[in-house]
Amino acid sequence: MKIALSLLAMLSLAFIPELASAQQYYQPDALSDVIQGPQRSAEHKLRDKYRHPHQTLEFFGLKPDMTVVELQPGGGWYTEILAPYLKDGGELIAAAPPLDSESEFLRRMAKSYRQKLKDNSDAYGKVKVVSFLPPEQTDLAPANSVDMVLTFRNAHDWQAEGTLKSVFQAAYKALKPGGVFGVVAHRANPNTDAAEDASKLHRLPEAYVINLAQDVGFKLAAVSRVNANPADPRTMSIHLLPPSRAIAHAPKLPEETDENKRMVEMMKRIGEIVPPVFDHIGESDRMTLKFVKPE
């Protein structure tokens, strides 16, 4: 009987690594409860093992009574966590594209994000949305009024558009002295050209981001490797990697020209063979930087 029980215990322990890898484990606390909550989509929860939301937000020093700005929230991956966590004691300000943007893509993003908030008012009803379209529209909040500004995987887009410095300046202006600017960005190899990395690979060299933030006036408080991925060679576009594999999903182009149709079909065909090739890498290697506005 004792032998049987010992074997059972050993078998149980053997399964622990598999179970742990299947779903990210978090120590019980209020943030953990939100991360594991029903307001988050199952698809988004699957990304936790790559994006480490609990460790990332803990590293930035998030507290439930803070006023936080989330820059360009996209589909709301982090909004699903930040909004309910801050709902009772703090405030989330979402700096999203304006509904009247000249870009059809940004208009769709703006509409979809605002609809997401409406569809679950219990979780997201207190989110304040401000129009954000640098360099023209960059007012996030009154000067020196917010505790934290966060950006997740957006910096390369602003660099490619030539607006990254204006975004960092907007964050600096809105933050209180002592406030935190948290940056998660796709990392390029060091000593490469930032403009080329941003446009071709959708990445940035870490030193470039740090230097730019310091030029604006921020102090680098800490660097974390929580979102680092050594398996990523950092020589390919992040869109070849999970989760989006953008080339596997043909874009909705505004003009149905023959050339556009051929491009869509080509992207579909490439998408059928690319995902199995690069899935073993996982999501991109990312820098996680904590800056502070001097007091």
Side-chain angles (χ1 to χ4, degrees):
M1 184 65 177
K2 289 183 179 179
I3 295 176
L5 289 173
S6 298
L7 287 173
L8 182 60
M10 290 174 65
L11 287 171
S12 299
L13 289 171
F15 281 105
I16 288 178
E18 182 177 348
L19 292 172
S21 63
Q23 183 174 2
Q24 188 79 20
Y25 175 74
Y26 302 104
Q27 292 291 339
D29 59 26
L31 183 56
S32 299
D33 291 342
V34 170
I35 289 172
Q36 295 168 347
Q39 83 286 351
R40 297 188 67 212
S41 68
E43 180 183 3
H44 285 182
K45 286 181 179 180
L46 288 175
R47 308 264 57 83
D48 286 359
K49 63 181 179 179
Y50 298 118
R51 298 182 176 179
H52 312 100
H54 192 286
Q55 297 95 320
T56 299
L57 294 174
E58 190 173 55
F59 169 72
F60 289 144
L62 180 71
K63 303 297 181 186
D65 60 349
M66 285 182 166
T67 297
V68 178
V69 176
E70 182 185 4
L71 299 176
Q72 200 83 335
W77 199 93
Y78 260 100
T79 298
E80 290 182 0
I81 299 170
L82 293 169
Y85 182 72
L86 296 168
K87 182 177 66 172
D88 295 330
E91 181 182 24
L92 176 62
I93 301 171
L99 290 166
D100 60 352
S101 170
E102 294 182 2
S103 164
E104 180 185 356
F105 172 75
L106 291 180
R107 288 198 304 272
R108 288 201 308 267
M109 181 189 295
K111 183 178 179 181
S112 175
Y113 181 75
R114 287 163 174 81
Q115 189 61 51
K116 178 186 184 74
L117 301 184
K118 291 180 181 178
D119 289 343
N120 190 347
S121 58
D122 288 343
Y124 313 129
K126 292 186 178 180
V127 176
K128 179 182 178 181
V129 180
V130 297
S131 293
F132 184 68
L133 189 65
E136 294 85 7
Q137 300 182 49
T138 57
D139 287 335
L140 303 173
N144 305 308
S145 67
V146 306
D147 300 292
M148 184 175 286
V149 178
L150 300 173
T151 172
F152 302 100
R153 307 178 307 280
N154 294 319
H156 63 280
D157 287 330
W158 294 314
Q159 173 66 27
E161 295 163 2
T163 60
L164 184 58
K165 186 171 185 178
S166 69
V167 173
F168 281 26
Q169 289 171 330
Y172 189 89
K173 179 181 177 182
L175 282 165
K176 299 174 181 176
V180 171
F181 182 36
V183 177
V184 177
H186 304 289
R187 184 162 32 215
N189 282 313
N191 304 316
T192 54
D193 183 81
E196 187 172 345
D197 287 334
S199 61
K200 293 183 178 180
L201 304 182
H202 306 273
R203 303 172 182 266
L204 285 171
E206 184 170 323
Y208 177 84
V209 176
I210 292 173
N211 289 337
L212 181 61
Q214 290 176 331
D215 286 345
V216 168
F218 286 109
K219 288 187 176 180
L220 180 64
V223 176
S224 172
R225 292 190 57 80
V226 65
N227 294 305
N229 179 5
D232 178 10
R234 300 184 290 198
T235 55
M236 66 180 73
S237 167
I238 59 101
H239 290 306
L240 293 175
L241 301 173
S244 62
R245 305 185 192 95
I247 62 171
H249 304 284
K252 295 180 180 179
L253 300 171
E255 297 179 4
E256 293 296 326
T257 64
D258 290 340
E259 183 179 357
N260 284 346
K261 289 178 181 178
R262 285 194 296 271
M263 185 176 71
V264 167
E265 289 304 314
M266 178 185 70
M267 292 173 75
K268 285 181 178 178
R269 289 196 297 271
I270 294 174
E272 291 174 358
I273 63 172
V274 166
V277 175
F278 297 114
D279 270 13
H280 69 282
I281 294 175
E283 295 195 13
S284 68
D285 178 49
R286 293 162 189 159
M287 65 188 88
T288 305
L289 310 173
K290 180 179 180 179
F291 299 100
V292 174
K293 180 176 179 177
E295 298 191 45

